[in-house]
Amino acid sequence: MKITKLTTYIVPPRWLFLKVETDEGIVGWGEPVVEGRALTVQAAVHELEDYLIGKDPFLIEDHWTVMYRGGFYRGGAVHMSAISGIDQALWDIKGKALGQPIHSLLGGQLRDRIKVYSWIGGDRPSDVANNAKEVVARGFKAIKLNGCEEMQIVDTNEKVEKAVETIAAIREAIGPHIGIGVDFHGRVHKPMAKVLAKELDPYKLMFIEEPVLSENKEALRDIVNHTSTPIALGERLFSRWDFKQVLSDGYVDIIQPDLSHAGGITECRKIAAMAEAYDVALAPHCPLGPIALAACLQVDAVSYNAFIQEQSLGIHYNKGNDILDYISNKEVFHYADGFVSIPQGPGLGIEVDEAYVIERAKEGHRWRNPIWRHADGSFAEW
């Protein structure tokens, strides 16, 4: 079998899909995208295409190695996201060719389903208590929200109090036993992260996510001394080498590699295994489309330390299209009792509705994250 063609589709709301074709008619799908940089990643995919055409798609480890190491300059969001989508598609081809789900080829599943959480609210948290109750009523056992608005490096107690009031209202609304993940989204700098982490401790959170930007991860040493809440981080880390220092430092309790950013199934399987050796939990980041989610579930299925999976059904970013719109076997993501089942079909286990993908690609998108500014006019992290 040989790879014959790579085709990319930019589709709403903010996704990039990849189809990899072979001379035996078996097709694989991947989701290589950086949110807000879809066109850039699309170009990177087609640069890598030059190497892949004519190659045996089964040689995934070798292709990953060449795509990563072969260009001399390596790593980063764009390069690794391009590799991620290609890697997902190659695993999809291999699974389909052998009539097996990818998790079977990775050693076999060790769980039948995995807990999921649902996003509530939007970029700016407000009026989220009712939203939280609605999500819990639909069966979710865990939720996540943006925990605060933009914060300057040193900000006011008023901003802290507002964030705490939001979380307090949610905890009161949904009771003591529903998991709450609070995403700081890298909006908070070290001085205020210490304050917020301490003030939120009484609400018994499931985790605090990105209390500081990944490039400021040395600040975690001080933050962990102000809270007993688990610290989660990793959506802006892109390889096992990026995670190496985070794991060895010992301040992070949960890692969140993104299967569309951190090298795909091949690399995230290795990152998960590294984390297991440090007794660190796995919760893959996935506010993206159905192909990305299907890839995450393959790794969740074989990773002992995986405990919860992000998914984007109904997320505030999904305007116009949602994750089930692009697949024909919509039942594959079977949600029940706060869990989603591990797909059992060959490859990724999803059937992409190619005709609908082509139709929506005619519209495409130019999604960009908002640009915020503080009251003094300086740039604010989104």
PDB file of all heavy atoms in Angstrom, residues 338-353:
ATOM      1  N   GLY A 338     -22.272  10.443  32.534  1.00  0.00           N
ATOM      2  CA  GLY A 338     -21.048  11.225  32.679  1.00  0.00           C
ATOM      3  C   GLY A 338     -19.832  10.624  32.010  1.00  0.00           C
ATOM      4  O   GLY A 338     -18.718  11.135  32.170  1.00  0.00           O
ATOM      5  N   PHE A 339     -20.031   9.543  31.248  1.00  0.00           N
ATOM      6  CA  PHE A 339     -18.936   8.866  30.555  1.00  0.00           C
ATOM      7  C   PHE A 339     -19.196   8.882  29.056  1.00  0.00           C
ATOM      8  O   PHE A 339     -20.325   9.070  28.606  1.00  0.00           O
ATOM      9  CB  PHE A 339     -18.815   7.407  31.017  1.00  0.00           C
ATOM     10  CG  PHE A 339     -18.306   7.225  32.413  1.00  0.00           C
ATOM     11  CD1 PHE A 339     -19.146   7.418  33.503  1.00  0.00           C
ATOM     12  CD2 PHE A 339     -16.995   6.860  32.646  1.00  0.00           C
ATOM     13  CE1 PHE A 339     -18.685   7.249  34.799  1.00  0.00           C
ATOM     14  CE2 PHE A 339     -16.510   6.685  33.942  1.00  0.00           C
ATOM     15  CZ  PHE A 339     -17.365   6.887  35.023  1.00  0.00           C
ATOM     16  N   VAL A 340     -18.150   8.640  28.269  1.00  0.00           N
ATOM     17  CA  VAL A 340     -18.290   8.378  26.848  1.00  0.00           C
ATOM     18  C   VAL A 340     -17.615   7.042  26.559  1.00  0.00           C
ATOM     19  O   VAL A 340     -16.562   6.716  27.129  1.00  0.00           O
ATOM     20  CB  VAL A 340     -17.685   9.511  25.989  1.00  0.00           C
ATOM     21  CG1 VAL A 340     -16.155   9.571  26.137  1.00  0.00           C
ATOM     22  CG2 VAL A 340     -18.064   9.337  24.526  1.00  0.00           C
ATOM     23  N   SER A 341     -18.246   6.255  25.704  1.00  0.00           N
ATOM     24  CA  SER A 341     -17.709   4.936  25.377  1.00  0.00           C
ATOM     25  C   SER A 341     -16.473   5.037  24.485  1.00  0.00           C
ATOM     26  O   SER A 341     -16.331   5.982  23.707  1.00  0.00           O
ATOM     27  CB  SER A 341     -18.778   4.102  24.656  1.00  0.00           C
ATOM     28  OG  SER A 341     -19.898   3.903  25.483  1.00  0.00           O
ATOM     29  N   ILE A 342     -15.601   4.060  24.596  1.00  0.00           N
ATOM     30  CA  ILE A 342     -14.437   3.959  23.716  1.00  0.00           C
ATOM     31  C   ILE A 342     -14.911   3.400  22.370  1.00  0.00           C
ATOM     32  O   ILE A 342     -15.555   2.344  22.329  1.00  0.00           O
ATOM     33  CB  ILE A 342     -13.362   3.040  24.321  1.00  0.00           C
ATOM     34  CG1 ILE A 342     -12.917   3.534  25.703  1.00  0.00           C
ATOM     35  CG2 ILE A 342     -12.177   2.903  23.359  1.00  0.00           C
ATOM     36  CD1 ILE A 342     -12.260   4.893  25.716  1.00  0.00           C
ATOM     37  N   PRO A 343     -14.622   4.071  21.245  1.00  0.00           N
ATOM     38  CA  PRO A 343     -15.050   3.564  19.935  1.00  0.00           C
ATOM     39  C   PRO A 343     -14.474   2.175  19.644  1.00  0.00           C
ATOM     40  O   PRO A 343     -13.321   1.893  19.975  1.00  0.00           O
ATOM     41  CB  PRO A 343     -14.490   4.605  18.959  1.00  0.00           C
ATOM     42  CG  PRO A 343     -14.316   5.840  19.774  1.00  0.00           C
ATOM     43  CD  PRO A 343     -13.938   5.366  21.143  1.00  0.00           C
ATOM     44  N   GLN A 344     -15.289   1.346  19.017  1.00  0.00           N
ATOM     45  CA  GLN A 344     -14.878  -0.035  18.745  1.00  0.00           C
ATOM     46  C   GLN A 344     -14.716  -0.330  17.261  1.00  0.00           C
ATOM     47  O   GLN A 344     -14.297  -1.432  16.894  1.00  0.00           O
ATOM     48  CB  GLN A 344     -15.903  -0.993  19.347  1.00  0.00           C
ATOM     49  CG  GLN A 344     -16.010  -0.907  20.863  1.00  0.00           C
ATOM     50  CD  GLN A 344     -14.689  -1.211  21.561  1.00  0.00           C
ATOM     51  OE1 GLN A 344     -13.993  -2.168  21.225  1.00  0.00           O
ATOM     52  NE2 GLN A 344     -14.327  -0.383  22.534  1.00  0.00           N
ATOM     53  N   GLY A 345     -15.018   0.633  16.387  1.00  0.00           N
ATOM     54  CA  GLY A 345     -14.875   0.397  14.962  1.00  0.00           C
ATOM     55  C   GLY A 345     -13.423   0.413  14.527  1.00  0.00           C
ATOM     56  O   GLY A 345     -12.527   0.818  15.272  1.00  0.00           O
ATOM     57  N   PRO A 346     -13.140  -0.022  13.298  1.00  0.00           N
ATOM     58  CA  PRO A 346     -11.754  -0.046  12.812  1.00  0.00           C
ATOM     59  C   PRO A 346     -11.168   1.354  12.711  1.00  0.00           C
ATOM     60  O   PRO A 346     -11.887   2.330  12.455  1.00  0.00           O
ATOM     61  CB  PRO A 346     -11.862  -0.712  11.448  1.00  0.00           C
ATOM     62  CG  PRO A 346     -13.285  -0.535  11.036  1.00  0.00           C
ATOM     63  CD  PRO A 346     -14.085  -0.532  12.297  1.00  0.00           C
ATOM     64  N   GLY A 347      -9.862   1.456  12.906  1.00  0.00           N
ATOM     65  CA  GLY A 347      -9.198   2.758  12.856  1.00  0.00           C
ATOM     66  C   GLY A 347      -9.656   3.641  13.998  1.00  0.00           C
ATOM     67  O   GLY A 347      -9.736   3.205  15.150  1.00  0.00           O
ATOM     68  N   LEU A 348      -9.967   4.884  13.678  1.00  0.00           N
ATOM     69  CA  LEU A 348     -10.458   5.824  14.691  1.00  0.00           C
ATOM     70  C   LEU A 348     -11.863   5.472  15.162  1.00  0.00           C
ATOM     71  O   LEU A 348     -12.314   5.985  16.193  1.00  0.00           O
ATOM     72  CB  LEU A 348     -10.448   7.244  14.127  1.00  0.00           C
ATOM     73  CG  LEU A 348      -9.077   7.891  13.941  1.00  0.00           C
ATOM     74  CD1 LEU A 348      -9.203   9.177  13.125  1.00  0.00           C
ATOM     75  CD2 LEU A 348      -8.414   8.184  15.294  1.00  0.00           C
ATOM     76  N   GLY A 349     -12.579   4.678  14.387  1.00  0.00           N
ATOM     77  CA  GLY A 349     -13.917   4.260  14.781  1.00  0.00           C
ATOM     78  C   GLY A 349     -15.023   5.203  14.345  1.00  0.00           C
ATOM     79  O   GLY A 349     -16.192   4.963  14.643  1.00  0.00           O
ATOM     80  N   ILE A 350     -14.673   6.266  13.639  1.00  0.00           N
ATOM     81  CA  ILE A 350     -15.681   7.219  13.168  1.00  0.00           C
ATOM     82  C   ILE A 350     -15.803   7.132  11.647  1.00  0.00           C
ATOM     83  O   ILE A 350     -14.849   6.776  10.958  1.00  0.00           O
ATOM     84  CB  ILE A 350     -15.349   8.665  13.578  1.00  0.00           C
ATOM     85  CG1 ILE A 350     -13.966   9.091  13.061  1.00  0.00           C
ATOM     86  CG2 ILE A 350     -15.426   8.828  15.083  1.00  0.00           C
ATOM     87  CD1 ILE A 350     -13.652  10.556  13.263  1.00  0.00           C
ATOM     88  N   GLU A 351     -16.983   7.475  11.164  1.00  0.00           N
ATOM     89  CA  GLU A 351     -17.233   7.530   9.725  1.00  0.00           C
ATOM     90  C   GLU A 351     -17.453   8.984   9.340  1.00  0.00           C
ATOM     91  O   GLU A 351     -18.509   9.562   9.618  1.00  0.00           O
ATOM     92  CB  GLU A 351     -18.454   6.678   9.375  1.00  0.00           C
ATOM     93  CG  GLU A 351     -18.276   5.200   9.700  1.00  0.00           C
ATOM     94  CD  GLU A 351     -19.573   4.417   9.595  1.00  0.00           C
ATOM     95  OE1 GLU A 351     -20.584   5.000   9.120  1.00  0.00           O
ATOM     96  OE2 GLU A 351     -19.587   3.239  10.006  1.00  0.00           O
ATOM     97  N   VAL A 352     -16.449   9.588   8.759  1.00  0.00           N
ATOM     98  CA  VAL A 352     -16.533  10.993   8.387  1.00  0.00           C
ATOM     99  C   VAL A 352     -17.488  11.161   7.210  1.00  0.00           C
ATOM    100  O   VAL A 352     -17.404  10.425   6.216  1.00  0.00           O
ATOM    101  CB  VAL A 352     -15.136  11.552   8.036  1.00  0.00           C
ATOM    102  CG1 VAL A 352     -15.246  12.984   7.519  1.00  0.00           C
ATOM    103  CG2 VAL A 352     -14.216  11.488   9.253  1.00  0.00           C
ATOM    104  N   ASP A 353     -18.399  12.110   7.334  1.00  0.00           N
ATOM    105  CA  ASP A 353     -19.342  12.425   6.253  1.00  0.00           C
ATOM    106  C   ASP A 353     -18.620  13.345   5.268  1.00  0.00           C
ATOM    107  O   ASP A 353     -18.694  14.564   5.364  1.00  0.00           O
ATOM    108  CB  ASP A 353     -20.586  13.098   6.838  1.00  0.00           C
ATOM    109  CG  ASP A 353     -21.676  13.341   5.810  1.00  0.00           C
ATOM    110  OD1 ASP A 353     -21.385  13.274   4.600  1.00  0.00           O
ATOM    111  OD2 ASP A 353     -22.810  13.622   6.211  1.00  0.00           O
TER     112      ASP A 353
END
